[in-house]
Amino acid sequence: MEHPAPPSRFRRATNGAALAVLVGTFLWLAYHWAALPESLPLRMNLNAPPTLGSKGRLILLPTIMLFLYGLLSYTEKIGVINMPDLGSPERNRAAAREASAGLKFFCVALIALIQLSMLASSDAAPPGVVGSFFAFVGGVGALLLLVASLRRRG
């Protein structure tokens, strides 16, 4: 059985960043849940006022983030994603692993920023909601870096 090459620095960095954004977003949302207004702008239209919806719909976005994280982790693990042929199966799998890791971070970060913009654009958003988002994500990222460095030492 073929053993895949160890993850590149790019894959390790993007996987760690994606996990930090995912976990940080869940913790941030849980922390602010009670203070969130019952009605939030869920859809933006430049020609009209935003469409309002219940805060319960905010659970949908982290669920989508979790699904995409799992799906792209799977495609990264098996090294299969729809890409141009690079001439050999090994090169195709390596490129697919790199692309999956990058897509994972991009998708998770984009959805987290959409959720952040929905909350930040509300007049009734809790104070410091934007700053606390980056504090939660940064804190989880720092914790992941600490755990990774301790694993390499030990």
Side-chain angles (χ1 to χ4, degrees):
M1 178 166 182
E2 175 187 336
H3 294 288
S8 67
R9 279 188 166 173
F10 174 78
R11 281 178 52 204
R12 286 194 313 266
T14 54
N15 282 331
L19 184 60
V21 171
L22 179 68
V23 173
T25 301
F26 272 101
L27 293 174
W28 170 75
L29 190 58
Y31 178 79
H32 285 293
W33 189 258
L36 292 178
E38 288 301 319
S39 181
L40 293 167
L42 297 179
R43 202 171 350 151
M44 303 297 171
N45 182 350
L46 295 178
N47 297 326
T51 304
L52 300 177
S54 82
K55 74 178 182 180
R57 289 187 176 183
L58 287 178
I59 300 297
L60 181 64
L61 290 176
T63 306
I64 292 170
M65 288 169 59
L66 186 61
F67 171 75
L68 287 172
Y69 184 89
L71 176 68
L72 291 167
S73 292
Y74 179 71
T75 62
E76 181 183 359
K77 178 181 177 183
I78 63 174
V80 176
I81 197 168
N82 191 13
M83 294 180 57
D85 186 11
L86 299 176
S88 75
E90 295 81 24
R91 288 181 64 199
N92 290 343
R93 278 191 292 279
R97 286 184 175 105
E98 297 290 319
S100 291
L103 278 171
K104 184 184 343 179
F105 172 69
F106 176 76
C107 291
V108 168
L110 181 65
I111 294 171
L113 290 175
I114 289 169
Q115 186 167 24
L116 176 63
S117 72
M118 286 171 27
L119 288 177
S121 64
S122 172
D123 294 335
V129 71
V130 175
S132 67
F133 173 79
F134 292 105
F136 273 91
V137 171
V140 171
L143 185 61
L144 290 173
L145 281 173
L146 178 65
V147 168
S149 68
L150 291 175
R151 286 181 62 194
R152 277 185 290 230
R153 282 179 125 186

